[in-house]
Amino acid sequence: MKLMKQIWDKARKDKKKIVLAEGEEERNLKASEKIVKNNIADVIIVGNKDVIKEKAKKLNVDLTGVEMVDPDTSEKLEAYSNEFYELRKKKGVTLEKANKIVRDPLYFATMMVKLGDADGLVSGSIHTTGDLLRPGLQVIKTAPGTSVVSSIFMMEVPNCEYGDEGFLLFSDCAVNPNPNTEQLAAIAVSTAETAKNLCGMDPKIAMLSFSTKGSAQHENVDKVREATKLAKQMNPDLKIDGELQLDAALVKEVANLKAPGSEVAGNANVLIFPELQAGNIGYKLVQRFAKAEAIGPICQGFAKPINDLSRGCSSDDIVNVVAVTAVQAQSIK
Ligand code: ACO
């Protein structure tokens, strides 16, 4: 992906410190070596140092320049426990419980980001999306002005005339099972920012539905229509339209028939799905049938960047997600 080279270059210009919570896992070790050798970010890996060194030796991975942190022996454990307790005591967490929870590498790495010992976190090669997101949602919380954490996929579709010559963003395909009107609007607004800041796009956002401009009546259609209005109120500069069916969003001829006069219909390069089942199925359909490259899920809306990996990821995928996370960290004030 051409964009990924630009993201690597951007990451190198203002190097950030990214923590990999699954530091004992082989692909993470291989990725750490590549990230450091390619000067993309400073890397911290979390895990038992003896286990890490043993595995690295077996894999012939050079971890020179990679920082290792073991929660059980870290001098930061007490500070992280105290902070976690303060953050979660209203939810019934005791200090004793906090001390136990932050020894979990995912929570430990999240606390590193929270307290500024790392600029961003990447994990998920051996954990589910929910396992990774929950500590982030509880501790890092949302960025100012955003109420919802969501995600995007960068889709690069070969030999495709839709979007920006086959490049599109899809959202939300990984986080919010059933967003309400406000959440759907917030997802659209966040995705527009990601499109501009991370991908250098001029976002044209289609709010997808099974209806185009009133062709069908249903409460699910109303939700998309209302969310479109709300997103426009939240950011009047957005190029956004909805509700649109997928063909009206992408295909000029269909757009001319179903949504004439729309600046988005027929030109959309950002697709917002109405709920997670549609989004998750949608990106996988394009990935498999069109042999598209799908990079993500990239999280958006966190106060500091946290990103998920697919459990089927390669070490190269981890390098790319770390580069994306580093670039996201550059825009955190
Ligand atoms: N944005 C902001 N805050 C949120 C969000 C969100 N999207 N979702 C939950 N929260 C907050 C809650 O308000 C809560 O805050 P609090 O504890 O301070 O009050 C905290 O996060 C935890 O909320 P829970 O309700 O305990 O968390 P939940 O069990 O709902 O889990 C999660 C949230 C993990 C995001 C869940 O919605 C989920 O599992 N989503 C689907 C993930 C998934 O499986 N995706 C598909 C696979 S990914 C792929 O195929 C690439």
Side-chain angles (χ1 to χ4, degrees):
M1 189 182 269
K2 208 166 66 191
L3 176 65
M4 203 40 80
K5 191 187 168 304
Q6 291 165 14
I7 289 175
W8 279 37
D9 288 344
K10 207 168 170 194
R12 286 185 184 115
K13 284 197 180 125
D14 174 17
K15 250 170 81 180
K16 294 293 171 187
K17 200 184 269 192
I18 306 300
V19 57
L20 298 175
E22 295 155 336
E24 294 175 15
E25 198 277 335
E26 294 187 359
R27 290 161 295 172
N28 284 268
L29 293 176
K30 289 180 186 165
S32 299
E33 182 184 25
K34 288 182 203 177
I35 294 160
V36 170
K37 291 221 159 113
N38 285 287
N39 207 25
I40 292 169
D42 293 325
V43 182
I44 308 166
I45 52 177
V46 179
N48 180 289
K49 290 181 189 173
D50 292 335
V51 174
I52 291 172
K53 283 181 191 160
E54 183 68 32
K55 280 206 175 156
K57 199 170 157 200
K58 220 167 77 190
L59 294 165
N60 203 17
V61 165
D62 177 8
L63 290 181
T64 308
V66 175
E67 191 181 332
M68 290 174 233
V69 181
D70 182 348
D72 286 328
T73 57
S74 167
E75 60 191 21
K76 298 284 177 109
L77 187 63
E78 195 183 337
Y80 291 174
S81 303
N82 289 340
E83 178 70 13
F84 187 79
Y85 165 67
E86 288 300 327
L87 289 168
R88 302 299 293 172
K89 63 185 176 193
K90 279 197 194 126
K91 299 279 171 179
V93 174
T94 60
L95 193 51
E96 195 188 356
K97 233 175 172 178
N99 186 274
K100 211 167 148 203
I101 290 170
V102 298
R103 284 169 196 264
D104 176 316
L106 283 180
Y107 275 92
F108 190 86
T110 308
M111 292 310 297
M112 291 184 83
V113 176
K114 176 73 183 176
L115 291 183
D117 294 323
D119 299 308
L121 159 65
V122 172
S123 192
S125 59
I126 51 172
H127 287 91
T128 65
T129 300
D131 287 341
L132 168 74
L133 291 178
R134 218 164 272 114
L137 293 169
Q138 292 172 354
V139 169
I140 303 290
K141 301 275 181 188
T142 52
T146 315
S147 57
V148 182
V149 168
S150 59
S151 69
I152 57 126
F153 271 90
M154 299 180 201
M155 303 296 296
E156 191 168 65
V157 190
N159 307 314
C160 172
E161 70 268 35
Y162 304 131
D164 294 343
E165 295 171 1
F167 184 82
L168 297 104
L169 297 193
F170 286 12
S171 182
D172 175 15
C173 307
V175 180
N176 295 278
N178 199 9
N180 62 25
T181 305
E182 290 73 25
Q183 289 168 330
L184 193 57
I187 290 168
V189 171
S190 287
T191 307
E193 278 163 27
T194 302
K196 275 190 248 167
N197 298 340
L198 186 66
C199 307
M201 298 167 76
D202 173 19
K204 292 177 266 312
I205 306 161
M207 302 292 277
L208 297 181
S209 172
F210 60 85
S211 167
T212 300
K213 302 282 178 186
S215 65
Q217 305 299 324
H218 192 275
E219 61 191 79
N220 292 349
V221 176
D222 295 340
K223 177 179 90 168
V224 177
R225 203 177 297 139
E226 289 304 315
T228 309
K229 266 195 225 150
L230 192 55
K232 191 84 187 162
Q233 282 166 18
M234 289 162 76
N235 181 352
D237 295 333
L238 284 187
K239 291 177 191 162
I240 185 168
D241 205 357
E243 84 287 4
L244 295 171
Q245 287 162 286
L246 182 82
D247 53 356
L250 295 178
V251 185
K252 285 193 173 45
E253 296 75 25
V254 180
N256 288 339
L257 284 173
K258 294 188 174 182
S262 166
E263 68 172 341
V264 169
N267 296 307
N269 55 11
V270 173
L271 303 182
I272 304 296
F273 291 85
E275 50 87 36
L276 187 54
Q277 298 204 66
N280 193 267
I281 294 166
Y283 100 80
K284 285 177 194 281
L285 278 173
V286 176
Q287 182 186 33
R288 297 292 164 180
F289 281 113
K291 303 199 186 324
E293 194 173 345
I295 295 190
I298 308 292
C299 292
Q300 55 188 9
F302 274 122
K304 292 182 176 183
I306 294 182
N307 278 310
D308 186 27
L309 297 163
S310 150
R311 276 171 290 167
C313 69
S314 65
S315 60
D316 286 340
D317 294 333
I318 299 176
V319 176
N320 284 335
V321 175
V322 165
V324 166
T325 309
V327 170
Q328 288 178 313
Q330 290 171 351
S331 50
I332 303 293
K333 302 283 175 275

mmCIF file of all heavy atoms in Angstrom, residues 48-90:
data_model
loop_
_atom_site.group_PDB
_atom_site.id
_atom_site.type_symbol
_atom_site.label_atom_id
_atom_site.label_comp_id
_atom_site.label_asym_id
_atom_site.label_seq_id
_atom_site.Cartn_x
_atom_site.Cartn_y
_atom_site.Cartn_z
ATOM 1 N N ASN A 48 7.853 -11.401 30.524
ATOM 2 C CA ASN A 48 8.939 -11.906 31.361
ATOM 3 C C ASN A 48 10.251 -11.846 30.568
ATOM 4 O O ASN A 48 10.345 -12.420 29.485
ATOM 5 C CB ASN A 48 8.614 -13.347 31.772
ATOM 6 C CG ASN A 48 9.694 -13.938 32.632
ATOM 7 O OD1 ASN A 48 10.787 -14.227 32.147
ATOM 8 N ND2 ASN A 48 9.397 -14.111 33.893
ATOM 9 N N LYS A 49 11.243 -11.157 31.128
ATOM 10 C CA LYS A 49 12.468 -10.897 30.353
ATOM 11 C C LYS A 49 13.192 -12.187 29.970
ATOM 12 O O LYS A 49 13.739 -12.287 28.863
ATOM 13 C CB LYS A 49 13.404 -9.963 31.138
ATOM 14 C CG LYS A 49 12.846 -8.551 31.226
ATOM 15 C CD LYS A 49 13.769 -7.613 31.978
ATOM 16 C CE LYS A 49 13.063 -6.289 32.226
ATOM 17 N NZ LYS A 49 13.749 -5.367 33.061
ATOM 18 N N ASP A 50 13.204 -13.174 30.875
ATOM 19 C CA ASP A 50 13.903 -14.435 30.553
ATOM 20 C C ASP A 50 13.213 -15.148 29.397
ATOM 21 O O ASP A 50 13.861 -15.665 28.491
ATOM 22 C CB ASP A 50 13.936 -15.362 31.786
ATOM 23 C CG ASP A 50 14.824 -14.791 32.881
ATOM 24 O OD1 ASP A 50 15.732 -13.999 32.520
ATOM 25 O OD2 ASP A 50 14.604 -15.098 34.060
ATOM 26 N N VAL A 51 11.874 -15.167 29.447
ATOM 27 C CA VAL A 51 11.107 -15.817 28.367
ATOM 28 C C VAL A 51 11.371 -15.098 27.040
ATOM 29 O O VAL A 51 11.613 -15.726 26.002
ATOM 30 C CB VAL A 51 9.586 -15.808 28.696
ATOM 31 C CG1 VAL A 51 8.757 -16.337 27.533
ATOM 32 C CG2 VAL A 51 9.306 -16.599 29.968
ATOM 33 N N ILE A 52 11.333 -13.768 27.088
ATOM 34 C CA ILE A 52 11.540 -12.979 25.866
ATOM 35 C C ILE A 52 12.926 -13.263 25.278
ATOM 36 O O ILE A 52 13.072 -13.540 24.080
ATOM 37 C CB ILE A 52 11.380 -11.460 26.163
ATOM 38 C CG1 ILE A 52 9.919 -11.138 26.494
ATOM 39 C CG2 ILE A 52 11.846 -10.622 24.977
ATOM 40 C CD1 ILE A 52 9.675 -9.719 26.990
ATOM 41 N N LYS A 53 13.952 -13.236 26.145
ATOM 42 C CA LYS A 53 15.338 -13.417 25.654
ATOM 43 C C LYS A 53 15.514 -14.811 25.064
ATOM 44 O O LYS A 53 16.145 -14.992 24.024
ATOM 45 C CB LYS A 53 16.327 -13.189 26.801
ATOM 46 C CG LYS A 53 16.516 -11.710 27.106
ATOM 47 C CD LYS A 53 17.510 -11.523 28.230
ATOM 48 C CE LYS A 53 17.499 -10.100 28.728
ATOM 49 N NZ LYS A 53 18.062 -9.947 30.055
ATOM 50 N N GLU A 54 14.936 -15.795 25.725
ATOM 51 C CA GLU A 54 15.021 -17.194 25.274
ATOM 52 C C GLU A 54 14.373 -17.340 23.887
ATOM 53 O O GLU A 54 14.941 -17.933 22.970
ATOM 54 C CB GLU A 54 14.284 -18.067 26.321
ATOM 55 C CG GLU A 54 14.315 -19.554 26.081
ATOM 56 C CD GLU A 54 15.711 -20.139 26.253
ATOM 57 O OE1 GLU A 54 16.459 -19.613 27.084
ATOM 58 O OE2 GLU A 54 16.027 -21.096 25.497
ATOM 59 N N LYS A 55 13.184 -16.755 23.754
ATOM 60 C CA LYS A 55 12.459 -16.867 22.474
ATOM 61 C C LYS A 55 13.204 -16.125 21.369
ATOM 62 O O LYS A 55 13.303 -16.597 20.236
ATOM 63 C CB LYS A 55 11.043 -16.284 22.601
ATOM 64 C CG LYS A 55 10.098 -17.236 23.262
ATOM 65 C CD LYS A 55 8.675 -16.972 22.849
ATOM 66 C CE LYS A 55 7.770 -18.031 23.449
ATOM 67 N NZ LYS A 55 6.404 -17.598 23.595
ATOM 68 N N ALA A 56 13.702 -14.934 21.720
ATOM 69 C CA ALA A 56 14.423 -14.136 20.714
ATOM 70 C C ALA A 56 15.643 -14.909 20.208
ATOM 71 O O ALA A 56 15.945 -14.909 19.015
ATOM 72 C CB ALA A 56 14.839 -12.800 21.318
ATOM 73 N N LYS A 57 16.323 -15.599 21.126
ATOM 74 C CA LYS A 57 17.516 -16.372 20.762
ATOM 75 C C LYS A 57 17.119 -17.488 19.794
ATOM 76 O O LYS A 57 17.741 -17.691 18.750
ATOM 77 C CB LYS A 57 18.122 -16.954 22.040
ATOM 78 C CG LYS A 57 19.552 -17.377 21.877
ATOM 79 C CD LYS A 57 20.137 -17.708 23.235
ATOM 80 C CE LYS A 57 21.324 -18.636 23.021
ATOM 81 N NZ LYS A 57 21.657 -19.368 24.221
ATOM 82 N N LYS A 58 16.040 -18.183 20.148
ATOM 83 C CA LYS A 58 15.572 -19.300 19.314
ATOM 84 C C LYS A 58 15.172 -18.818 17.911
ATOM 85 O O LYS A 58 15.408 -19.485 16.912
ATOM 86 C CB LYS A 58 14.351 -19.950 19.997
ATOM 87 C CG LYS A 58 14.353 -21.463 19.894
ATOM 88 C CD LYS A 58 13.365 -22.114 20.812
ATOM 89 C CE LYS A 58 11.952 -21.999 20.280
ATOM 90 N NZ LYS A 58 10.935 -22.405 21.245
ATOM 91 N N LEU A 59 14.570 -17.616 17.872
ATOM 92 C CA LEU A 59 14.088 -17.077 16.584
ATOM 93 C C LEU A 59 15.171 -16.300 15.831
ATOM 94 O O LEU A 59 14.931 -15.812 14.735
ATOM 95 C CB LEU A 59 12.919 -16.107 16.833
ATOM 96 C CG LEU A 59 11.643 -16.704 17.387
ATOM 97 C CD1 LEU A 59 10.732 -15.601 17.924
ATOM 98 C CD2 LEU A 59 10.917 -17.480 16.294
ATOM 99 N N ASN A 60 16.319 -16.161 16.485
ATOM 100 C CA ASN A 60 17.411 -15.365 15.911
ATOM 101 C C ASN A 60 16.984 -13.905 15.691
ATOM 102 O O ASN A 60 17.285 -13.301 14.663
ATOM 103 C CB ASN A 60 17.870 -15.998 14.590
ATOM 104 C CG ASN A 60 19.287 -15.588 14.262
ATOM 105 O OD1 ASN A 60 20.011 -15.116 15.145
ATOM 106 N ND2 ASN A 60 19.673 -15.726 13.008
ATOM 107 N N VAL A 61 16.232 -13.404 16.654
ATOM 108 C CA VAL A 61 15.767 -12.011 16.585
ATOM 109 C C VAL A 61 16.690 -11.137 17.436
ATOM 110 O O VAL A 61 16.978 -11.476 18.587
ATOM 111 C CB VAL A 61 14.310 -11.912 17.114
ATOM 112 C CG1 VAL A 61 13.927 -10.469 17.393
ATOM 113 C CG2 VAL A 61 13.335 -12.510 16.116
ATOM 114 N N ASP A 62 17.130 -10.034 16.846
ATOM 115 C CA ASP A 62 18.018 -9.106 17.546
ATOM 116 C C ASP A 62 17.167 -8.030 18.232
ATOM 117 O O ASP A 62 16.509 -7.230 17.550
ATOM 118 C CB ASP A 62 18.966 -8.487 16.507
ATOM 119 C CG ASP A 62 19.880 -7.438 17.129
ATOM 120 O OD1 ASP A 62 19.880 -7.303 18.378
ATOM 121 O OD2 ASP A 62 20.577 -6.749 16.356
ATOM 122 N N LEU A 63 17.182 -8.022 19.557
ATOM 123 C CA LEU A 63 16.340 -7.052 20.278
ATOM 124 C C LEU A 63 17.133 -5.843 20.769
ATOM 125 O O LEU A 63 16.691 -5.141 21.677
ATOM 126 C CB LEU A 63 15.635 -7.735 21.446
ATOM 127 C CG LEU A 63 14.532 -8.732 21.063
ATOM 128 C CD1 LEU A 63 13.887 -9.340 22.309
ATOM 129 C CD2 LEU A 63 13.456 -8.103 20.193
ATOM 130 N N THR A 64 18.279 -5.586 20.123
ATOM 131 C CA THR A 64 19.049 -4.400 20.486
ATOM 132 C C THR A 64 18.177 -3.159 20.292
ATOM 133 O O THR A 64 17.554 -2.991 19.238
ATOM 134 C CB THR A 64 20.309 -4.264 19.581
ATOM 135 O OG1 THR A 64 20.996 -5.500 19.620
ATOM 136 C CG2 THR A 64 21.206 -3.132 20.024
ATOM 137 N N GLY A 65 18.119 -2.322 21.322
ATOM 138 C CA GLY A 65 17.335 -1.079 21.210
ATOM 139 C C GLY A 65 15.877 -1.244 21.612
ATOM 140 O O GLY A 65 15.139 -0.268 21.656
ATOM 141 N N VAL A 66 15.468 -2.485 21.909
ATOM 142 C CA VAL A 66 14.074 -2.714 22.336
ATOM 143 C C VAL A 66 14.050 -2.761 23.869
ATOM 144 O O VAL A 66 14.824 -3.506 24.477
ATOM 145 C CB VAL A 66 13.523 -4.037 21.763
ATOM 146 C CG1 VAL A 66 12.126 -4.329 22.309
ATOM 147 C CG2 VAL A 66 13.522 -4.000 20.239
ATOM 148 N N GLU A 67 13.168 -1.954 24.468
ATOM 149 C CA GLU A 67 13.073 -1.946 25.940
ATOM 150 C C GLU A 67 12.131 -3.062 26.397
ATOM 151 O O GLU A 67 11.090 -3.280 25.768
ATOM 152 C CB GLU A 67 12.521 -0.569 26.353
ATOM 153 C CG GLU A 67 12.603 -0.281 27.821
ATOM 154 C CD GLU A 67 12.020 1.107 28.154
ATOM 155 O OE1 GLU A 67 12.040 2.022 27.291
ATOM 156 O OE2 GLU A 67 11.519 1.247 29.281
ATOM 157 N N MET A 68 12.523 -3.781 27.452
ATOM 158 C CA MET A 68 11.648 -4.851 27.969
ATOM 159 C C MET A 68 11.144 -4.451 29.355
ATOM 160 O O MET A 68 11.914 -3.943 30.153
ATOM 161 C CB MET A 68 12.431 -6.150 28.107
ATOM 162 C CG MET A 68 12.805 -6.772 26.803
ATOM 163 S SD MET A 68 13.877 -8.179 27.120
ATOM 164 C CE MET A 68 15.230 -7.778 26.060
ATOM 165 N N VAL A 69 9.863 -4.714 29.599
ATOM 166 C CA VAL A 69 9.295 -4.395 30.914
ATOM 167 C C VAL A 69 8.481 -5.579 31.402
ATOM 168 O O VAL A 69 7.617 -6.094 30.674
ATOM 169 C CB VAL A 69 8.363 -3.156 30.830
ATOM 170 C CG1 VAL A 69 7.815 -2.825 32.196
ATOM 171 C CG2 VAL A 69 9.087 -1.960 30.271
ATOM 172 N N ASP A 70 8.777 -5.987 32.629
ATOM 173 C CA ASP A 70 8.027 -7.094 33.235
ATOM 174 C C ASP A 70 7.148 -6.512 34.351
ATOM 175 O O ASP A 70 7.672 -5.976 35.333
ATOM 176 C CB ASP A 70 9.025 -8.112 33.804
ATOM 177 C CG ASP A 70 8.327 -9.311 34.413
ATOM 178 O OD1 ASP A 70 7.086 -9.251 34.606
ATOM 179 O OD2 ASP A 70 9.017 -10.304 34.708
ATOM 180 N N PRO A 71 5.813 -6.592 34.187
ATOM 181 C CA PRO A 71 4.938 -5.992 35.207
ATOM 182 C C PRO A 71 5.262 -6.459 36.623
ATOM 183 O O PRO A 71 5.244 -5.649 37.555
ATOM 184 C CB PRO A 71 3.535 -6.473 34.798
ATOM 185 C CG PRO A 71 3.638 -6.746 33.338
ATOM 186 C CD PRO A 71 5.055 -7.197 33.088
ATOM 187 N N ASP A 72 5.586 -7.737 36.790
ATOM 188 C CA ASP A 72 5.788 -8.270 38.141
ATOM 189 C C ASP A 72 6.990 -7.658 38.848
ATOM 190 O O ASP A 72 7.021 -7.599 40.079
ATOM 191 C CB ASP A 72 5.949 -9.799 38.090
ATOM 192 C CG ASP A 72 4.605 -10.463 37.831
ATOM 193 O OD1 ASP A 72 3.577 -9.914 38.285
ATOM 194 O OD2 ASP A 72 4.585 -11.510 37.160
ATOM 195 N N THR A 73 7.991 -7.231 38.091
ATOM 196 C CA THR A 73 9.198 -6.692 38.734
ATOM 197 C C THR A 73 9.372 -5.189 38.476
ATOM 198 O O THR A 73 10.362 -4.604 38.896
ATOM 199 C CB THR A 73 10.453 -7.434 38.204
ATOM 200 O OG1 THR A 73 10.479 -7.287 36.782
ATOM 201 C CG2 THR A 73 10.432 -8.911 38.574
ATOM 202 N N SER A 74 8.401 -4.585 37.793
ATOM 203 C CA SER A 74 8.555 -3.176 37.428
ATOM 204 C C SER A 74 8.442 -2.257 38.639
ATOM 205 O O SER A 74 7.571 -2.426 39.495
ATOM 206 C CB SER A 74 7.471 -2.791 36.412
ATOM 207 O OG SER A 74 7.432 -1.394 36.278
ATOM 208 N N GLU A 75 9.313 -1.250 38.670
ATOM 209 C CA GLU A 75 9.240 -0.267 39.763
ATOM 210 C C GLU A 75 7.996 0.622 39.623
ATOM 211 O O GLU A 75 7.638 1.346 40.544
ATOM 212 C CB GLU A 75 10.514 0.589 39.781
ATOM 213 C CG GLU A 75 10.710 1.354 38.492
ATOM 214 C CD GLU A 75 12.080 2.014 38.359
ATOM 215 O OE1 GLU A 75 13.016 1.560 39.053
ATOM 216 O OE2 GLU A 75 12.180 2.971 37.564
ATOM 217 N N LYS A 76 7.354 0.555 38.454
ATOM 218 C CA LYS A 76 6.155 1.388 38.226
ATOM 219 C C LYS A 76 4.870 0.720 38.729
ATOM 220 O O LYS A 76 3.810 1.325 38.687
ATOM 221 C CB LYS A 76 5.989 1.666 36.721
ATOM 222 C CG LYS A 76 7.118 2.438 36.078
ATOM 223 C CD LYS A 76 7.013 3.906 36.466
ATOM 224 C CE LYS A 76 8.160 4.733 35.923
ATOM 225 N NZ LYS A 76 7.831 5.616 34.892
ATOM 226 N N LEU A 77 4.983 -0.550 39.126
ATOM 227 C CA LEU A 77 3.778 -1.311 39.474
ATOM 228 C C LEU A 77 2.914 -0.581 40.511
ATOM 229 O O LEU A 77 1.688 -0.484 40.367
ATOM 230 C CB LEU A 77 4.166 -2.708 39.956
ATOM 231 C CG LEU A 77 3.011 -3.672 40.205
ATOM 232 C CD1 LEU A 77 2.243 -3.974 38.928
ATOM 233 C CD2 LEU A 77 3.528 -4.970 40.818
ATOM 234 N N GLU A 78 3.567 -0.052 41.538
ATOM 235 C CA GLU A 78 2.808 0.585 42.616
ATOM 236 C C GLU A 78 2.084 1.849 42.093
ATOM 237 O O GLU A 78 0.889 2.041 42.357
ATOM 238 C CB GLU A 78 3.753 0.943 43.762
ATOM 239 C CG GLU A 78 2.982 1.261 45.038
ATOM 240 C CD GLU A 78 3.902 1.683 46.169
ATOM 241 O OE1 GLU A 78 5.103 1.327 46.142
ATOM 242 O OE2 GLU A 78 3.405 2.383 47.066
ATOM 243 N N ALA A 79 2.816 2.643 41.324
ATOM 244 C CA ALA A 79 2.199 3.874 40.788
ATOM 245 C C ALA A 79 1.022 3.530 39.872
ATOM 246 O O ALA A 79 -0.036 4.174 39.926
ATOM 247 C CB ALA A 79 3.243 4.677 40.023
ATOM 248 N N TYR A 80 1.190 2.502 39.053
ATOM 249 C CA TYR A 80 0.109 2.117 38.137
ATOM 250 C C TYR A 80 -1.099 1.575 38.925
ATOM 251 O O TYR A 80 -2.245 1.871 38.597
ATOM 252 C CB TYR A 80 0.582 1.054 37.138
ATOM 253 C CG TYR A 80 1.596 1.544 36.113
ATOM 254 C CD1 TYR A 80 2.198 0.646 35.229
ATOM 255 C CD2 TYR A 80 1.958 2.882 36.016
ATOM 256 C CE1 TYR A 80 3.126 1.074 34.289
ATOM 257 C CE2 TYR A 80 2.886 3.321 35.087
ATOM 258 C CZ TYR A 80 3.470 2.409 34.222
ATOM 259 O OH TYR A 80 4.391 2.831 33.291
ATOM 260 N N SER A 81 -0.811 0.788 39.978
ATOM 261 C CA SER A 81 -1.908 0.244 40.800
ATOM 262 C C SER A 81 -2.688 1.379 41.444
ATOM 263 O O SER A 81 -3.929 1.395 41.423
ATOM 264 C CB SER A 81 -1.373 -0.654 41.928
ATOM 265 O OG SER A 81 -0.606 -1.680 41.409
ATOM 266 N N ASN A 82 -1.942 2.339 42.007
ATOM 267 C CA ASN A 82 -2.600 3.466 42.693
ATOM 268 C C ASN A 82 -3.465 4.263 41.718
ATOM 269 O O ASN A 82 -4.601 4.625 42.027
ATOM 270 C CB ASN A 82 -1.561 4.397 43.325
ATOM 271 C CG ASN A 82 -0.890 3.749 44.525
ATOM 272 O OD1 ASN A 82 -1.430 2.792 45.101
ATOM 273 N ND2 ASN A 82 0.285 4.221 44.875
ATOM 274 N N GLU A 83 -2.926 4.518 40.534
ATOM 275 C CA GLU A 83 -3.668 5.308 39.546
ATOM 276 C C GLU A 83 -4.902 4.531 39.060
ATOM 277 O O GLU A 83 -5.994 5.098 38.927
ATOM 278 C CB GLU A 83 -2.746 5.648 38.360
ATOM 279 C CG GLU A 83 -3.411 6.430 37.244
ATOM 280 C CD GLU A 83 -3.761 7.872 37.614
ATOM 281 O OE1 GLU A 83 -3.290 8.369 38.651
ATOM 282 O OE2 GLU A 83 -4.535 8.494 36.849
ATOM 283 N N PHE A 84 -4.720 3.231 38.838
ATOM 284 C CA PHE A 84 -5.861 2.430 38.374
ATOM 285 C C PHE A 84 -6.948 2.413 39.443
ATOM 286 O O PHE A 84 -8.141 2.545 39.144
ATOM 287 C CB PHE A 84 -5.422 1.001 38.017
ATOM 288 C CG PHE A 84 -6.520 0.194 37.386
ATOM 289 C CD1 PHE A 84 -6.849 0.365 36.042
ATOM 290 C CD2 PHE A 84 -7.274 -0.714 38.130
ATOM 291 C CE1 PHE A 84 -7.896 -0.353 35.459
ATOM 292 C CE2 PHE A 84 -8.308 -1.429 37.552
ATOM 293 C CZ PHE A 84 -8.611 -1.252 36.216
ATOM 294 N N TYR A 85 -6.515 2.288 40.704
ATOM 295 C CA TYR A 85 -7.476 2.304 41.815
ATOM 296 C C TYR A 85 -8.256 3.624 41.824
ATOM 297 O O TYR A 85 -9.487 3.640 41.913
ATOM 298 C CB TYR A 85 -6.724 2.092 43.130
ATOM 299 C CG TYR A 85 -7.520 2.429 44.355
ATOM 300 C CD1 TYR A 85 -8.630 1.662 44.718
ATOM 301 C CD2 TYR A 85 -7.178 3.532 45.148
ATOM 302 C CE1 TYR A 85 -9.379 1.994 45.844
ATOM 303 C CE2 TYR A 85 -7.918 3.866 46.272
ATOM 304 C CZ TYR A 85 -9.021 3.090 46.604
ATOM 305 O OH TYR A 85 -9.761 3.426 47.709
ATOM 306 N N GLU A 86 -7.536 4.744 41.683
ATOM 307 C CA GLU A 86 -8.205 6.055 41.678
ATOM 308 C C GLU A 86 -9.220 6.150 40.537
ATOM 309 O O GLU A 86 -10.322 6.643 40.696
ATOM 310 C CB GLU A 86 -7.176 7.198 41.529
ATOM 311 C CG GLU A 86 -6.332 7.436 42.770
ATOM 312 C CD GLU A 86 -7.167 7.807 43.995
ATOM 313 O OE1 GLU A 86 -8.215 8.460 43.849
ATOM 314 O OE2 GLU A 86 -6.768 7.398 45.120
ATOM 315 N N LEU A 87 -8.815 5.632 39.369
ATOM 316 C CA LEU A 87 -9.685 5.726 38.191
ATOM 317 C C LEU A 87 -10.924 4.846 38.298
ATOM 318 O O LEU A 87 -11.970 5.162 37.748
ATOM 319 C CB LEU A 87 -8.902 5.310 36.925
ATOM 320 C CG LEU A 87 -7.829 6.273 36.429
ATOM 321 C CD1 LEU A 87 -6.955 5.600 35.376
ATOM 322 C CD2 LEU A 87 -8.489 7.513 35.829
ATOM 323 N N ARG A 88 -10.797 3.705 38.977
ATOM 324 C CA ARG A 88 -11.865 2.703 38.931
ATOM 325 C C ARG A 88 -12.517 2.437 40.294
ATOM 326 O O ARG A 88 -13.356 1.545 40.388
ATOM 327 C CB ARG A 88 -11.339 1.378 38.356
ATOM 328 C CG ARG A 88 -10.751 1.483 36.963
ATOM 329 C CD ARG A 88 -11.731 1.968 35.908
ATOM 330 N NE ARG A 88 -12.808 1.040 35.636
ATOM 331 C CZ ARG A 88 -13.864 1.325 34.864
ATOM 332 N NH1 ARG A 88 -13.972 2.522 34.298
ATOM 333 N NH2 ARG A 88 -14.807 0.437 34.656
ATOM 334 N N LYS A 89 -12.161 3.198 41.340
ATOM 335 C CA LYS A 89 -12.727 2.885 42.665
ATOM 336 C C LYS A 89 -14.242 3.067 42.677
ATOM 337 O O LYS A 89 -14.948 2.323 43.348
ATOM 338 C CB LYS A 89 -12.036 3.674 43.785
ATOM 339 C CG LYS A 89 -12.174 5.162 43.731
ATOM 340 C CD LYS A 89 -11.342 5.805 44.835
ATOM 341 C CE LYS A 89 -11.410 7.312 44.729
ATOM 342 N NZ LYS A 89 -10.419 7.987 45.555
ATOM 343 N N LYS A 90 -14.741 4.017 41.879
ATOM 344 C CA LYS A 90 -16.197 4.229 41.822
ATOM 345 C C LYS A 90 -16.887 3.007 41.233
ATOM 346 O O LYS A 90 -18.084 2.816 41.386
ATOM 347 C CB LYS A 90 -16.518 5.453 40.963
ATOM 348 C CG LYS A 90 -16.353 6.741 41.687
ATOM 349 C CD LYS A 90 -17.081 7.874 40.953
ATOM 350 C CE LYS A 90 -16.617 9.202 41.497
ATOM 351 N NZ LYS A 90 -16.127 10.124 40.504
#
